[in-house]
Amino acid sequence: MQIHVVKSKIHRVKVTGADLNYIGSITIDEDLMDAANIIEGEKVQIVNNNNGERLETYAIPGPRKSGEITLNGAAARRVAPGDVLILITYALMEVEEAKAFKPALVFPNEETNLLR
């Protein structure tokens, strides 16, 4: 049997932009993606602490050391610049593998979204 487990989490980043006219996705500073082991095109669950919204989209890399967190396309309607988000990815694993697995947990600077 396989189960879904948390693979990575970027905890408490601020939305820096919302671009309704871009074709889908979330743009994430590539340094944050690397730290959380998130790859381009990977499905990301977005939890908005400000309004309770939960949605899913896919990750695209933003400029390094920019702190960029931009929701694109329809997802832009679910956030406002300054909202605080938690970004989560999941992996499918065998139960025994999941018991030993340690997710990548990233806690960036809450003001700048940069790694500390």
Side-chain angles (χ1 to χ4, degrees), residues 40-57:
E40 184 172 358
E42 185 171 357
K43 181 165 75 170
V44 178
Q45 181 181 49
I46 300 160
V47 180
N48 187 328
N49 284 359
N50 290 76
N51 63 19
E53 290 278 352
R54 286 180 173 255
L55 60 115
E56 292 178 343
T57 189

Side-chain angles (χ1 to χ4, degrees), residues 52-82:
E53 290 278 352
R54 286 180 173 255
L55 60 115
E56 292 178 343
T57 189
Y58 60 93
I60 60 173
R64 291 185 182 279
K65 303 196 183 348
S66 66
E68 182 176 358
I69 301 291
T70 300
L71 276 291
N72 303 304
R77 293 196 184 275
R78 303 290 185 208
V79 300

Side-chain angles (χ1 to χ4, degrees), residues 11-28:
H11 191 76
R12 297 187 61 85
V13 286
K14 284 189 181 177
V15 174
T16 60
D19 185 354
L20 184 60
N21 295 312
Y22 190 86
I23 303 171
S25 73
I26 181 171
T27 304
I28 304 170

Side-chain angles (χ1 to χ4, degrees), residues 2 14 21 29-30 38-39 51 56 63 68 99 113:
Q2 293 190 321
K14 284 189 181 177
N21 295 312
D29 178 320
E30 196 165 5
I38 296 173
I39 64 167
N51 63 19
E56 292 178 343
E68 182 176 358
K99 287 178 181 179
N113 291 343

